[in-house]
Amino acid sequence: MHISEFSVKRPVFATVISALMVVVGALCFFRLAVREYPNINPPFVSVQTSYPGAGAAVVDTKITQVLESYISGTEGIRTISSSSQDGNSSISIEFELTRNIDAAANDVRERIARALKDLPEETTPPEIYKVDASSDPIMWLNVGSDRLNGLELTDYIKRFLVDRFATVNGVARVRL
């Protein structure tokens, strides 16, 4: 007796066996380990620049566009995205997967160094970071005081807290 004959003579049994096979297959599929997949993190470099007191339009024309024009010639760039806000410029550069992140960051540093002469004097020097594509802020802290005003509190945080948090294992960056 063949399986097809048996299934025709006993359709309920065949349906139950088919349903069990689907359920067992689905369970096995969701329990498969994914360690065989390669760990692919595209190389990202981020450039942050501050221009205190400037509006978003001024930051865009005097900082963001200038830096983008210098950065755009770097080898292996896949995409460049930027945002300009009041007083801050942020540029994210994604490189090809074959590009070494350290070499890419050094190339960006070199290009930014050339661009410094074209930036306004009031800007802070651009900060260049190698960024993990999957990193998101893990913790936001709000600090307040009954005894210190805003300037004193900011000074205290810069002097005592930022360095302590930066030395914690696993902390990539502390922003104030």
Side-chain angles (χ1 to χ4, degrees):
M1 178 181 268
H2 295 286
I3 195 165
S4 57
E5 289 178 37
F6 184 77
S7 298
V8 170
K9 289 182 181 177
R10 302 188 190 279
V12 175
F13 181 75
T15 304
V16 170
I17 293 296
S18 296
L20 279 173
M21 289 174 58
V22 168
V23 168
V24 169
L27 286 174
C28 291
F29 176 76
F30 289 112
R31 290 188 179 180
L32 280 175
V34 290
R35 66 176 176 246
E36 284 81 20
Y37 293 129
N39 185 11
I40 298 176
N41 283 330
F44 274 92
V45 175
S46 175
V47 179
Q48 307 285 328
T49 310
S50 178
Y51 188 9
V58 173
V59 170
D60 186 45
T61 57
K62 299 233 179 202
I63 296 176
T64 306
Q65 290 179 6
V66 171
L67 291 177
E68 280 182 347
S69 68
Y70 277 91
I71 293 169
S72 64
T74 307
E75 177 188 349
I77 290 181
R78 189 174 193 181
T79 60
I80 297 177
S81 60
S82 62
S83 67
S84 299
Q85 301 163 351
D86 290 342
N88 291 315
S89 168
S90 176
I91 302 172
S92 294
I93 307 122
E94 179 184 359
F95 289 90
E96 297 292 334
L97 289 174
T98 57
R99 185 82 158 115
N100 181 352
I101 184 68
D102 294 323
N106 287 336
D107 287 349
V108 170
R109 279 188 191 97
E110 179 184 316
R111 301 253 178 182
I112 294 294
R114 286 189 224 155
L116 289 176
K117 64 181 175 6
D118 294 336
L119 296 178
E121 291 180 15
E122 297 83 19
T123 60
T124 60
E127 298 175 1
I128 297 130
Y129 300 101
K130 294 181 278 188
V131 180
D132 182 8
S134 63
S135 68
D136 288 325
I138 303 297
M139 184 186 321
W140 294 94
L141 298 176
N142 187 13
V143 180
S145 174
D146 296 335
R147 293 180 286 155
L148 302 175
N149 65 25
L151 287 173
E152 294 170 334
L153 190 59
T154 302
D155 182 54
Y156 177 82
I157 292 169
K158 281 181 183 177
R159 287 206 264 153
F160 297 107
L161 297 181
V162 170
D163 290 337
R164 284 188 178 177
F165 283 126
T167 59
V168 173
N169 190 19
V171 173
R173 182 171 142 190
V174 177
R175 287 188 292 181
L176 176 61

